[in-house]
Amino acid sequence: MFHKILVGVDGSDHALRAVRLAGELARTCHADIVIVHAYPPIPPDLGEPNLQATISERLHEANQVLERALQEVGFTPRTVETEALEGAAPDVILRVAEVRQVDLIVVGSRGLGALASLLLGSQSQEVIQRATCPVLVVR
Ligand code: ATP
Ligand code: MG
C-alpha cells in the first residue's frame, strides 16, 4: 500500500514511537523509509571560530538523534535512509516528502516541547495542515 514512508524525529520518546510504527508498516508494506531530523538554523553572522563549532555541534546532535531512531526502526526488507537538514521541522519534512515523493508521513503527536497539556504539538499540527499526502500521527 505504501512504498516510501517518511518519519520525523526530534529526539523525543514520542518520535521513537512513531519510528517503531513506521518500521512495522515498512515490514508489512515492503516500503522504503526515510528518517528526517530538522535542526535549528545557524546564524550566518556568528563569525569564526564559533560558526564552525556550532555547525559541528548541531551535526553531532542531529547524528545522535538519527542513530537512536535507526536502532528503533528494526529490520526492514527495503532501504532505511536518514536526512538531517537545517530549518523548521514542517518545512524540512514537507520538502523531503516532496523531493523523495513519499506516500506517507509519520510523526509523533507530541515532541520535546514542555507543554504536557497540548494534545498535538505545533510541528505535527503544521505538517498535517500543509501535507499533500496522508499523515499518520502516533500517540
Ligand atoms: P511544540 O514543538 O509545539 O512545543 P511538541 O514538541 O510537544 O510541541 P512537536 O514539536 O509538534 O510537539 O512534535 C511532534 C512530532 O513532530 C514529533 O514526535 C516528531 O515526529 C515531529 N518533529 C518535531 N520536531 C521535529 C524536528 N526537529 N525534526 C523532525 N521531526 C520533528
Ligand atoms: Mg517540538
Side-chain angles (χ1 to χ4, degrees), residues 24-119:
E24 278 178 37
L25 277 173
R27 282 184 280 284
T28 310
C29 303
H30 281 248
D32 295 310
I33 294 190
V34 54
I35 305 173
V36 175
H37 176 61
Y39 58 87
I42 299 160
D45 54 358
L46 259 188
E48 293 302 352
N50 294 347
L51 185 61
Q52 276 312 314
T54 308
I55 291 172
S56 305
E57 195 181 307
R58 288 276 208 280
L59 289 178
H60 178 70
E61 284 167 4
N63 280 334
Q64 282 187 322
V65 169
L66 290 171
E67 280 297 325
R68 182 73 190 88
L70 276 175
Q71 289 169 2
E72 218 56 46
V73 82
F75 171 81
T76 67
R78 292 183 59 90
T79 66
V80 180
E81 292 175 276
T82 58
E83 279 212 43
L85 293 171
E86 179 181 300
D91 293 343
V92 165
I93 288 172
L94 295 168
R95 195 179 340 131
V96 174
E98 191 185 335
V99 169
R100 289 179 175 259
Q101 296 193 303
V102 311
D103 43 23
L104 178 70
I105 296 172
V106 184
V107 287
S109 58
R110 298 289 323 280
L112 287 174
L115 284 181
S117 59
L118 274 186
L119 210 58

